[in-house]
Amino acid sequence: MSAMEDGYVDFVWPELWVQESGVYFKWTPLHVLITLFTIVSLRYLWPYFAAEDESPEAIKVPEPEAAKLGWKGQVLEEPAIKVSGYSAIQCYCPATGQKLGIINPATPDGIDRAITAAKEAQVAWAKTTFAQRRKVLRTLLNFVLKNQEVLARICSRDSGKPMLDASYGEILVTAEKLQWTIKHGEKALLSSRRPTNLLMSYKRNTVRYEPLGVVAALVSWNYPLHNFLNGVISALFAGNAIVVKPSERTAWSSSYFLSLTRTALVACGHSLELVQSTPCWPETANHLTSHPDISHITFIGSQPVAHSVLSSAAKALTPVCAELGGKDPAILLDDISSSHLTSIVEILLRGTFQSAGQNCIGIERIIVLPNTYWKLISLLDHRIKSLRLGPPLDSPPGSVDVGAMVTSQTFTRLESLISSAVKQGATLLAGGSRYTHPDYPSGHYFQPTLLVHVTPQMEIAQTELFAPIALLFRASSVENAISLANSCAHTYSLGSSVFGSSSRDLQKVVREVKAGMVAVNDFGTYYAVQLPFGGVGGSGYGRFGGEEGLRGLCNLKAVCEDRWWGVRTMIPGRHRYPVENGRKAWGLAEGIVFLGYGGSLWQRVKGLWGVLRNL
């Protein structure tokens, strides 16, 4: 510090001037830059220092013996999930007929206890931060990534699918769901601002996304891991507890997935009661779907079962998101090059035969324009005939392309539909009937099938097959292809695909095809990026996946509040009870409406005058 003339005292950092009139800081450009840098650094670095710990916990869930390679179980001569004289669910491997175990089905009392436990646990869970919820999801994602092969083997053993199919349809999409929710879930559930209007300009409008409580998910058997975790991930992140009703056909693997989610919850310091599993027989499921403490139901299954679920849910006025399968078309335009067609064939084969065709968004109809039609048949014919059937975990590596179907109960119907189509003019080029494996006769196998020259009038063209069957339709034009795609829109309208080069024709199909989702020059990719998933018409309603699906598990609370302190709604004197002058009161009301909503300046002025002269 040094003395200066005229009474100033100068400090080296920063310069401080003292005068009779006060004390002043003298900032140099360097001081300003350092201060701004400090503020900006704190702005961006502080969240990292203040953030809660979201790192995943390391967890272990013992692998079931039946999922291990080389496991040999009792082979059932006539495998079935229901055994005469017993109430238990008999679990078995559909690829070999080997018995996996017995699961005791949930009873109405058991369902009540599960819902009560979930309801009590949800009270504390609803108060958790997004960071705490992300930690649970990160723990699950970390386990999925490190245990891909084990999870795939469990799925393969319980549903009969090859390991590669399990990787695509179980592991990849589950990892995507977890990652998307971790990265984008909080943004989707933050309160959103909504616009106001002139009359309500002093109000601030928001929509808040609050937990519903206890939700339920009734899921199908075709993708046991993903269908189980899919509902759990969204429900937990939205602040809910969940009761999952897995299919009786995959009750064995579902018990493992329940253990996985509960282990992750406990490792992160939360109640395992947040996730419940109630495998049960259909006649008991109504107790779950009609329960007054269930706030929302996600149902994935068939149309006939959906009618029962919806009827039951209506008793408690419980909202339902219903995904009911499809008859998805893949349209091939005429401007496809030879190289592009070769790559399309690979996509069509994957879209049709993955998981033995048991895929709600699987390709069930291939609609082809004339210039491409015969080329495609020649490419598909030998490829489909070369597909190899067998039990994925009990065959040499790389020797199985298509696994088993979960049940053989549909085989007679499928054979009848194919036979009827042939009688009506279709040509059967490959497959067409059930297959008895020489080493595993108790397995459920249906031959990969290629049926061409199919028309909309045939019953097989209007029926969801859920089987390894490729149907080819010939279209005369783009318009005709769209018409064929929409020919069963009243029954099924879930997903769709279109392949071609012309942007105009591609977009025409996108606009006019009746479906909930469209993949352009691809198959099913909308699900791999967490777009809202669902259909229209007979394929159901509501959406899961993406922001829409996450918000669908919330109470959308609309909040309108004062924007500025001291500025609030006041009822005009003319409108206070008792209304003394009806003519003046009406004139004031009319003026307010003109002022707020007049379509022209003159109407707004008229409204203002009406307000002023009737106050």
Side-chain angles (χ1 to χ4, degrees), residues 103-180:
I103 299 290
N104 289 320
T107 62
D109 286 343
I111 290 173
D112 287 340
R113 289 193 297 271
I115 294 174
T116 298
K119 186 177 180 180
E120 292 174 354
Q122 191 271 338
V123 175
W125 179 252
K127 300 175 184 177
T128 56
T129 64
F130 287 122
Q132 290 173 306
R133 299 173 194 176
R134 277 194 294 268
K135 183 179 180 69
V136 175
L137 300 194
R138 290 185 193 278
T139 299
L140 286 171
L141 178 57
N142 187 56
F143 182 89
V144 169
L145 294 175
K146 291 183 176 181
N147 296 272
Q148 294 183 54
E149 185 176 344
V150 171
L151 292 171
R153 285 204 304 268
I154 293 171
C155 294
S156 178
R157 185 67 78 189
D158 208 15
S159 65
K161 61 169 61 71
M163 293 285 285
L164 183 58
D165 292 6
S167 178
Y168 275 121
E170 307 272 14
I171 310 298
L172 185 149
V173 290
T174 299
E176 162 60 24
K177 177 84 172 190
L178 286 163
Q179 178 177 267
W180 183 93

Side-chain angles (χ1 to χ4, degrees), residues 329-348:
I331 297 175
L332 275 66
L333 304 178
D334 252 353
D335 57 354
I336 298 172
S337 65
S338 297
S339 59
H340 190 195
L341 184 59
T342 300
S343 65
I344 290 173
V345 166
E346 303 304 327
I347 295 174
L348 295 177

Side-chain angles (χ1 to χ4, degrees), residues 542-601:
R543 296 293 185 270
F544 58 81
E547 294 184 6
E548 292 78 3
L550 199 53
R551 290 174 175 176
L553 294 175
C554 297
N555 170 37
L556 275 63
K557 181 179 285 184
V559 180
C560 184
E561 54 192 324
D562 293 331
R563 176 175 291 178
W564 303 295
W565 182 85
V567 180
R568 58 180 61 91
T569 297
M570 299 289 290
I571 302 297
R574 295 290 186 191
H575 293 166
R576 296 175 185 172
Y577 292 119
V579 178
E580 296 180 354
N581 188 326
R583 185 180 64 82
K584 286 281 188 178
W586 171 256
L588 177 60
E590 184 180 51
I592 290 173
V593 174
F594 269 118
L595 178 62
Y597 304 102
S600 65
L601 178 61

Side-chain angles (χ1 to χ4, degrees), residues 2-17:
S2 60
M4 298 187 66
E5 296 180 358
D6 300 321
Y8 289 99
V9 178
D10 184 22
F11 285 80
V12 175
W13 171 262
E15 291 188 48
L16 179 67
W17 294 359

Side-chain angles (χ1 to χ4, degrees), residues 8 138 179 192 254 283 301 349-350 375 448 474 543 586:
Y8 289 99
R138 290 185 193 278
Q179 178 177 267
S192 59
S254 295
E283 55 269 22
L349 289 170
R350 175 60 57 184
K375 298 176 187 175
R474 180 171 177 167
R543 296 293 185 270
W586 171 256

Side-chain angles (χ1 to χ4, degrees), residues 71-280:
W71 173 79
K72 299 296 181 183
Q74 174 192 354
V75 177
L76 304 171
E77 290 186 11
E78 296 182 2
I81 58 172
K82 194 169 183 64
V83 180
S84 179
Y86 293 90
S87 62
I89 300 170
Q90 178 175 252
C91 306
Y92 68 92
C93 174
T96 62
Q98 293 170 300
K99 185 176 179 179
L100 296 173
I102 294 292
I103 299 290
N104 289 320
T107 62
D109 286 343
I111 290 173
D112 287 340
R113 289 193 297 271
I115 294 174
T116 298
K119 186 177 180 180
E120 292 174 354
Q122 191 271 338
V123 175
W125 179 252
K127 300 175 184 177
T128 56
T129 64
F130 287 122
Q132 290 173 306
R133 299 173 194 176
R134 277 194 294 268
K135 183 179 180 69
V136 175
L137 300 194
R138 290 185 193 278
T139 299
L140 286 171
L141 178 57
N142 187 56
F143 182 89
V144 169
L145 294 175
K146 291 183 176 181
N147 296 272
Q148 294 183 54
E149 185 176 344
V150 171
L151 292 171
R153 285 204 304 268
I154 293 171
C155 294
S156 178
R157 185 67 78 189
D158 208 15
S159 65
K161 61 169 61 71
M163 293 285 285
L164 183 58
D165 292 6
S167 178
Y168 275 121
E170 307 272 14
I171 310 298
L172 185 149
V173 290
T174 299
E176 162 60 24
K177 177 84 172 190
L178 286 163
Q179 178 177 267
W180 183 93
T181 309
I182 290 167
K183 287 186 173 181
H184 308 292
E186 180 175 357
K187 180 182 177 183
L189 297 185
L190 288 176
S191 297
S192 59
R193 293 288 297 272
R194 299 301 169 88
T196 187
N197 56 54
L198 177 62
L199 298 180
M200 295 287 111
S201 58
Y202 63 97
K203 293 291 186 180
R204 179 174 63 247
N205 309 315
T206 57
V207 175
R208 299 179 184 178
Y209 304 96
E210 300 180 345
L212 287 172
V214 181
V215 300
L218 285 74
V219 297
S220 57
W221 40 258
N222 53 336
Y223 290 106
L225 167 66
H226 181 68
N227 287 344
F228 190 98
L229 287 185
N230 184 44
V232 169
I233 293 165
S234 295
L236 290 180
F237 196 80
N240 301 308
I242 183 170
V243 179
V244 182
K245 190 275 177 193
S247 169
E248 313 89 272
R249 299 193 177 279
T250 50
W252 176 76
S253 59
S254 295
S255 64
Y256 181 87
F257 306 141
L258 173 66
S259 296
L260 168 58
T261 54
R262 286 182 158 186
T263 301
L265 284 165
V266 172
C268 296
H270 307 291
S271 173
L272 58 80
E273 303 290 359
L274 286 164
V275 179
Q276 303 285 334
S277 181
T278 57
C280 61

